[in-house]
Amino acid sequence: MIELEGVPELIDPVMVAAFEGWNDAGDAASTAVAHLEREWKGEVFAALDAEDYYDFQVNRPTVFMDGGVRKITWPTTRLSVVRIGGEKPRDLVLVRGIEPSMRWRSFCNELLGFAHELGVELVVILGALLGDTPHTRPVPVSGVTSDPDLAQRMDLEETKYEGPTGIVGVLQEACTHAGVPAVSLWAAVPHYVSQPPNPKATLALLNRLEDLLDLRVPLGELPEDARAWQVGVDQLAAEDSEVAEYVQTLEEARDTAELPEASGEAIAREFERYLRRRDVSPPGGHATAEGGEGGSFRRDAPGGRGRTARPPKPEAPGAPGTPDAAGTADTPDTPDTPETPDTPEDGGRGTSED
């Protein structure tokens, strides 16, 4: 049921959504929305009926004790609103949930009903996919849309992906057909260290969201968590010569591919972010710009996140498949990633979709 009572009139609202599951390698996307909700103290004002969209044998409810009374939390999708202050205040409608098990079209129609009632002007869907990208380099994040005008206006890729997709891809297309501007941001997570959490990928998504919406996100401990994560993976890689060799191969491929582009645009984007934070930067610092198109991406195995495993030999780093989003890989058609962009149900390496 849609419950909008008590929701104030919103200012220039933007809906930001993420869904656990196929589109959420390393839990990077869902963690990003959870971070926004926590930092800006969002309060849930509505939730979709779990009975309508979830198979409880796939996404099981959990039991907890509340003052000695047993209660059940059902898997669902919840909405909250946060207000960003400053000279130009605006509101974000945060959508966080699990990719539905059924009735995807009705699911998207319900979310679009919220968007319509709240006057949402733009929908941004976050996703993360598995990719052949080294953990030692900035996380590739690509922005895609199905709207040619929006792509030109916001400097995004126009998705051309064809293939299997997830709820991210379906929701983006539903927005397009309903006349609601929609963008997908996809982060590529190293497939050889895909278990959650991945704070570096979460940080990269939030940095890209800042650039897209021209706002400043309080990052809290995320920059430090991202550095600690990379140090930990460095140590694990150093203990296995095959892993270290494979990472080096990915680094060389990435550096070769990006060398001609190592210029103006990325430097300017990071400098603009620095200026935004300069006068009101909270303690803890911020991450470096990680935007960029990914190289070749792999999708996760159908229906779930990838597991950490010994990487394949450099000569054969992946199975066939095309992620649909994020950067390469499906730079989504609004991909669905980990479904990788649209992604990952196929378990293979994706190619840039947009």
Side-chain angles (χ1 to χ4, degrees):
M1 300 220 8
I2 295 181
E3 297 292 341
L4 296 177
E5 294 182 6
V7 178
E9 183 175 350
L10 304 184
I11 303 172
D12 299 330
V14 172
M15 179 177 281
V16 180
F19 304 94
E20 299 173 19
W22 203 47
N23 312 275
D24 195 24
D27 288 356
S30 58
T31 301
V33 173
H35 178 87
L36 296 175
E37 191 173 44
R38 181 173 60 252
E39 291 296 324
W40 278 317
K41 299 177 173 55
E43 294 187 7
V44 174
F45 67 87
L48 278 61
D49 190 340
E51 292 279 349
D52 292 340
Y53 305 112
Y54 296 98
D55 179 346
F56 298 138
Q57 290 183 323
V58 175
N59 297 291
R60 293 187 177 273
T62 56
V63 177
F64 68 99
M65 300 297 293
D66 182 11
V69 178
R70 286 168 62 84
K71 295 186 177 180
I72 294 179
T73 297
W74 297 93
T76 188
T77 293
R78 297 177 173 83
L79 291 85
S80 59
V81 173
V82 299
R83 175 152 294 176
I84 305 170
E87 295 181 3
K88 296 180 179 179
R90 74 182 314 171
D91 295 303
L92 297 184
V93 179
L94 304 179
V95 179
R96 184 160 61 104
I98 303 168
E99 182 177 67
S101 307
M102 61 196 92
R103 302 183 66 209
W104 284 18
R105 285 176 291 186
S106 297
F107 180 87
C108 292
N109 286 338
E110 272 213 65
L111 291 180
L112 285 172
F114 279 110
H116 176 73
E117 292 295 326
L118 296 170
V120 167
E121 301 175 349
L122 174 69
V123 174
V124 180
I125 314 167
L126 307 183
L129 55 89
L130 298 182
D132 289 331
T133 182
H135 72 279
T136 53
R137 297 293 185 266
V139 176
V141 177
S142 50
V144 298
T145 180
S146 298
D147 184 334
D149 295 333
L150 190 64
Q152 184 174 14
R153 189 167 69 251
M154 303 187 78
D155 192 23
L156 302 167
E157 296 180 40
E158 185 181 350
T159 180
K160 302 294 183 183
Y161 171 79
E162 296 178 286
T165 189
I167 194 61
V168 172
V170 172
L171 178 56
Q172 180 166 338
E173 292 311 303
C175 290
T176 299
H177 292 307
V180 179
V183 173
S184 294
L185 300 181
W186 290 93
V189 172
H191 67 86
Y192 57 89
V193 57
S194 57
Q195 80 276 16
N198 188 319
K200 186 173 181 179
T202 294
L203 185 60
L205 281 170
L206 292 175
N207 282 341
R208 187 70 171 85
L209 185 67
E210 285 185 317
D211 296 337
L212 183 73
L213 301 182
D214 190 23
L215 52 79
R216 187 181 71 85
V217 175
L219 299 177
E221 298 179 356
L222 260 180
E224 183 57 36
D225 291 343
R227 285 190 286 270
W229 177 87
Q230 180 163 326
V231 169
V233 179
D234 285 343
Q235 293 173 345
L236 291 174
E239 295 171 2
D240 189 314
S241 60
E242 288 189 36
V243 174
E245 181 182 351
Y246 181 60
V247 171
Q248 183 178 3
T249 299
L250 294 179
E251 291 174 338
E252 293 172 354
R254 172 77 178 272
D255 294 345
T256 300
E258 293 189 347
L259 185 60
E261 302 173 6
S263 68
E265 186 174 342
I267 296 173
R269 186 164 50 240
E270 179 62 10
F271 184 61
E272 288 171 0
R273 183 181 296 117
Y274 163 75
L275 292 178
R276 261 202 311 269
R277 293 180 175 281
R278 180 178 172 186
D279 298 327
V280 284
S281 177
H286 62 84
T288 58
E290 318 211 276
E293 311 302 341
S296 58
F297 296 140
R298 298 180 42 157
R299 302 183 208 174
D300 200 353
R305 308 181 189 89
R307 296 187 299 274
T308 302
R310 179 184 297 275
K313 296 286 186 181
E315 309 86 74
T322 304
D324 107 23
T328 101
D330 195 54
T331 253
D333 118 76
T334 225
D336 303 177
T337 163
E339 192 177 323
T340 63
D342 213 339
T343 175
E345 298 174 356
D346 42 73
R349 156 192 333 214
T351 56
S352 179
E353 136 197 47
D354 320 272

